Amino acid sequence: MADMSLFPYVPRGEQEELVEFIRKAVVELRNAVIGSGTGTGKTICSLVGVLEDQPYHKFKVLYLTRTKSQQKQVISEIRMINAKRSTFCVAIQGRTPTTCPMMSSDPELSSGSPDELSKWCSEFKKRKGKEGGCPYFDRISNIDVDVLISEMRTNLPDPESFQRACLEKGLCPYEMSKIAIPFADVVCAPYPFLLSPASRLAFLGWMEAIMSDLVIIVDEAHNVPDYLRDIITTEYTKRALDYVDKEAGEWGDPVVFEDIRVTDITNVMRVCFDVASKEYLKGDDGLIPPYFLQEELMSRLMVTSNSLDTICKSLIDLGEIVVAKKKEMRKLPRSYMRSLGSFIRRWMDCDDECFAKLINGGDRISFEAYCMDPYLAAEPFRSCRSSIHMSGTLEPLEEYAEELGLDDAIMRSFKSPFDPANLLTLCATDVTTRHDDMSREPEMISYLEDWVVRIVQTVVRNVAVFFPSYDMMNRFIVDDVPERTGRDVYVEVRGMSQMDLMDTVDNFRTSEGSVLFAVAGGRISEGLDFPDKDLEITIIVGIPYPYPTVKMESLIRYSDFRFGNGWEHVVRTPTIRKMRQARGRLIRSETDRGVCVVLDRRVPALPGFDIDGHDDIIPRIRSFFENE
């Protein structure tokens, strides 16, 4: 068994085996793919398993997270380990207006991309000690690095407290974190720092590491495949052409090739959007021929492929001039001409069979080169020393490893140590959200609404209702379901800020017997904990299958080709994950108890989502809580 000398708690369940499994992967320089149920202690077990042999092999540990709350959990566990063996962890977050006092005073910067914000910041740093520079960066030169590292080793601050301390001293938290990173035994960072090709090289430089030095721990790994697809995907909206025209007008509508001006390009692009929408759009999206855009551009502009490439270069070069001018003016270094040139060039490069070329409709008309294969962006996991991928909803493990190309991965699932009797899962078999059934039975939506009201009114407990979509949730709101419950109802609104989301969740937690409306697969269902009485009942309205689109059909066909199980890979497995994540909000400790009710008669036949029963739901809920 593992050496548990660094483990700060009394081990429970299979934790010793989990630590040893992780240690073995690190020692053997292999990847590990782990299904780790609620309560197995993923964070502490992964850290102990990885750190056990670090003093002997001198590798760097990188812990990748999706959310700020996960970073705080890592720091919390490192503090416990630090009491047994000196272990220094630095958590870093990206440049944002909320963490930079220079940016917080300029509303324009809130829309800046990481690359734009980096360039904006670099311009201020170049003016060190001069008028127009950044005083928060300038003051860092007076810092005693040894004292800084000593204080951080002692306090092991989480990102928020470190940011506050830096800002109180008039220092830049981002640059201060960069100073500390090379000294850290463990670096905790969001996914993009390593997985985005645009930031990876610089980040490794800050760590003073190369990929083969790294042992990577990936938290909530079930999100990684979709994240990697998004990194490679490129998209351009029709609306963005208006900004290009405006920028071009400010610069005299420059010539980009022979007698072709910038607005000639935007006018032809609009025609391309219109033609693609008319010929290929089916509902929300449509598949277009792989070479449609470049062929339309060449034909309508009467240029060759080489000339089109020259046009792209001219747009990019013009954009760089605009960016340089904006940097001098201390504005966000953004150029819409450059973005257009870069998009067309990337589009032409996306000619591999793993890309689906799409026209998207609705309010946001766009061209999209959608990457269907996460393998392309998963190279860091194949070139590092070792990587540990963990999630409570990662099964099937073989499928995940195959997607990312982790051919040498060792795989194992570890069960939750919590008493299964603390969780009761029930199913209502007289309702469904299946589209065909709802079309044949218009009253089905009323039945679903009635079920939600009855369950909420059964006992005075905090209830979360997870909907398959915002549209269905809004239908319940329009039909006055919140008022019918007679309870305080809080709502996860599409696109709400992180601050507003947390305020909504906090109000729900502190209001006894309240109701939270949220979306399965959204930020609440996957990223937040609700311990003890904060949440005791979850209602999952229907099976949250994704809405069928041409993009999804393309991904299914590609997965059929690559894995031989397209529908299961693209539809069923992610749907079951959503349901398990939503149900998982109930049980976060060994003393938590809760009831999950799924309103859909198809659930008993759904593999991978076990239920306890589907009769007498209301009496069984009452009985469950009466027997506490």
Side-chain angles (χ1 to χ4, degrees):
M1 297 298 289
D3 177 3
M4 300 292 282
S5 58
L6 293 182
F7 202 81
Y9 311 108
V10 176
R12 65 188 180 198
E14 301 176 300
Q15 286 183 327
E16 289 188 61
E17 295 175 53
L18 176 54
V19 170
E20 175 58 24
F21 187 79
I22 293 168
R23 189 197 70 83
K24 178 182 177 183
V26 174
V27 169
E28 296 180 356
L29 309 183
R30 300 179 68 181
N31 298 298
V33 177
I34 302 169
S36 186
T38 303
T40 49
K42 294 186 289 292
T43 305
I44 188 62
C45 287
S46 61
L47 286 168
V48 170
V50 166
L51 290 171
E52 190 174 301
D53 289 311
Q54 189 186 39
Y56 311 109
H57 300 288
K58 307 298 181 184
F59 50 77
K60 302 266 188 175
V61 178
L62 174 60
Y63 201 114
L64 295 179
T65 67
R66 283 185 66 233
T67 65
K68 294 178 181 179
S69 61
Q70 290 166 346
Q71 284 194 328
K72 293 184 73 170
Q73 179 65 25
V74 173
I75 292 292
S76 176
E77 300 294 17
I78 288 290
R79 288 172 181 158
M80 301 297 292
I81 294 173
N82 186 57
K84 291 180 169 286
R85 187 182 80 195
S86 178
T87 305
F88 182 31
C89 179
V90 174
I92 187 169
Q93 294 176 355
R95 288 185 182 90
T96 65
T98 59
T99 60
C100 172
M102 294 287 285
M103 294 181 186
S104 62
S105 61
D106 190 340
E108 179 189 1
L109 298 174
S110 62
S111 64
S113 69
D115 180 60
E116 290 169 341
L117 294 177
S118 176
K119 290 180 178 179
W120 182 87
C121 184
S122 296
E123 185 63 25
F124 283 93
K125 291 193 291 185
K126 287 178 184 177
R127 304 177 187 181
K128 184 176 179 181
K130 302 177 183 177
E131 184 178 355
C134 174
Y136 299 90
F137 175 73
D138 290 352
R139 294 187 189 102
I140 290 178
S141 59
N142 300 321
I143 292 295
D144 186 321
V145 175
D146 290 336
V147 172
L148 168 68
I149 300 305
S150 177
E151 290 179 351
M152 292 184 71
R153 283 185 181 276
T154 300
N155 300 325
L156 290 173
D158 61 56
E160 285 77 13
S161 60
F162 183 69
Q163 288 164 9
R164 286 194 299 270
C166 289
L167 294 176
E168 287 171 1
K169 297 176 182 178
L171 301 169
C172 173
Y174 188 79
E175 295 295 330
M176 291 286 282
S177 296
K178 285 167 58 177
I179 291 173
I181 279 176
F183 300 91
D185 302 302
V186 179
V187 175
C188 186
Y191 289 173
F193 277 81
L194 183 77
L195 300 183
S196 172
S199 58
R200 183 184 309 139
L201 188 60
F203 181 59
L204 290 174
W206 304 342
M207 290 187 69
E208 298 182 2
I210 57 176
M211 285 305 305
S212 57
D213 288 338
L214 294 185
V215 173
I216 304 170
I217 302 172
V218 188
D219 201 1
E220 299 297 335
H222 64 276
N223 295 292
V224 168
D226 280 342
Y227 181 82
L228 295 176
R229 290 187 184 97
D230 290 342
I231 285 176
I232 305 298
T233 293
T234 186
E235 185 179 12
Y236 194 85
T237 67
K238 185 178 181 180
R239 187 176 301 165
L241 296 172
D242 296 336
Y243 296 102
V244 181
D245 285 344
K246 181 180 178 182
E247 183 175 87
E250 293 169 351
W251 289 79
D253 196 8
V255 172
V256 290
F257 180 76
E258 295 181 348
D259 60 345
I260 299 173
R261 295 182 177 274
V262 174
T263 54
D264 294 322
I265 307 298
T266 57
N267 288 335
V268 170
M269 280 289 292
R270 288 187 179 91
V271 173
C272 293
F273 274 114
D274 293 341
V275 171
S277 298
K278 182 178 180 180
E279 295 188 9
Y280 301 107
L281 192 60
K282 298 178 181 179
D284 290 343
D285 60 359
L287 192 66
I288 62 178
Y291 302 101
F292 167 83
L293 182 57
Q294 51 265 56
E295 288 177 352
E296 286 287 323
L297 288 170
M298 288 187 291
S299 172
R300 296 179 185 278
L301 292 168
M302 293 185 290
V303 298
T304 65
S305 58
N306 287 337
S307 299
L308 184 57
D309 189 65
T310 300
I311 289 172
C312 292
K313 185 178 185 303
S314 296
L315 287 168
I316 293 169
D317 290 344
L318 284 167
E320 291 297 338
I321 296 172
V322 174
V323 165
K325 185 67 176 178
K326 285 187 173 180
K327 287 168 69 175
E328 290 177 9
M329 299 168 64
R330 299 177 63 169
K331 291 186 176 181
L332 187 66
R334 171 179 295 168
S335 168
Y336 298 100
M337 291 187 289
R338 183 181 65 173
S339 296
L340 176 58
S342 298
F343 166 75
I344 297 172
R345 179 170 283 180
R346 288 196 305 271
W347 179 278
M348 292 190 295
D349 289 340
C350 295
D351 58 359
D352 191 277
E353 63 184 5
C354 68
F355 285 91
K357 301 289 186 68
L358 302 162
I359 175 71
N360 296 311
D363 296 333
R364 194 172 184 273
I365 298 172
S366 68
F367 284 126
E368 180 180 7
Y370 172 61
C371 177
M372 297 179 286
D373 199 335
Y375 179 92
L376 300 176
E379 191 276 333
F381 300 129
R382 300 190 293 272
S383 60
C384 65
R385 179 185 180 93
S386 173
S387 64
I388 313 299
H389 304 252
M390 306 181 72
S391 172
T393 56
L394 200 54
E395 291 86 358
L397 307 182
E398 296 81 2
E399 188 176 283
Y400 176 90
E402 188 175 9
E403 268 199 301
L404 271 57
L406 307 179
D407 299 332
D408 68 334
I410 55 176
M411 292 171 271
R412 182 173 167 185
S413 292
F414 293 84
K415 296 179 180 179
S416 170
F418 298 155
D419 185 351
N422 286 346
L423 175 64
L424 176 64
T425 303
L426 304 171
C427 170
T429 57
D430 61 339
V431 287
T432 181
T433 56
R434 185 172 181 264
H435 182 266
D436 291 346
D437 291 338
M438 293 188 75
S439 297
R440 284 194 302 267
E441 302 177 62
E443 65 276 15
M444 186 64 71
I445 190 74
S446 296
Y447 296 158
L448 290 164
E449 292 171 347
D450 289 345
W451 265 116
V452 169
V453 172
R454 289 171 60 201
I455 293 169
V456 168
Q457 293 179 343
T458 297
V459 290
V460 181
R461 309 281 170 161
N462 279 16
V463 181
V465 185
F466 292 104
F467 295 89
S469 67
Y470 284 102
D471 287 342
M472 181 169 284
M473 179 172 71
N474 291 335
R475 172 67 185 274
F476 274 54
I477 294 172
V478 169
D479 290 346
D480 294 328
V481 172
E483 288 76 11
R484 289 174 58 197
T485 65
R487 306 286 175 82
D488 292 333
V489 177
Y490 301 92
V491 180
E492 177 186 20
V493 179
R494 190 200 303 265
M496 68 193 310
S497 69
Q498 182 69 16
M499 182 178 297
D500 289 341
L501 178 73
M502 295 313 300
D503 285 345
T504 298
V505 170
D506 289 342
N507 289 333
F508 163 72
R509 284 171 167 155
T510 56
S511 179
E512 184 180 1
S514 60
V515 180
L516 179 62
F517 278 13
V519 174
R523 287 184 287 174
I524 289 176
S525 72
E526 295 209 11
L528 298 176
D529 285 348
F530 296 87
D532 197 27
K533 305 296 183 181
D534 285 359
L535 179 64
E536 295 184 87
I537 299 175
T538 62
I539 303 171
I540 301 176
V541 181
I543 299 176
Y545 285 122
Y547 184 76
T549 61
V550 172
K551 177 194 287 190
M552 188 180 71
E553 292 171 0
S554 299
L555 185 55
I556 290 173
R557 286 195 298 270
Y558 182 81
S559 298
D560 268 332
F561 165 73
R562 186 172 169 200
F563 306 111
N565 57 350
W567 190 85
E568 291 185 6
H569 189 85
V570 175
V571 178
R572 188 168 71 182
T573 296
T575 297
I576 294 171
R577 281 193 187 122
K578 286 181 184 180
M579 296 174 67
R580 293 176 61 194
Q581 285 284 340
R583 180 174 62 180
R585 300 310 96 200
L586 283 169
I587 308 297
R588 311 310 295 174
S589 74
E590 59 188 6
T591 58
D592 286 353
R593 301 178 78 250
V595 175
C596 174
V597 181
V598 186
L599 304 180
D600 202 299
R601 55 184 169 232
R602 295 171 292 173
V603 173
L606 192 66
F609 190 85
D610 298 330
I611 62 171
D612 301 298
H614 47 82
D615 294 318
D616 301 322
I617 290 176
I618 300 302
R620 294 189 68 176
I621 293 174
R622 289 198 184 100
S623 175
F624 180 87
F625 288 110
E626 288 170 356
N627 294 328
E628 286 185 318

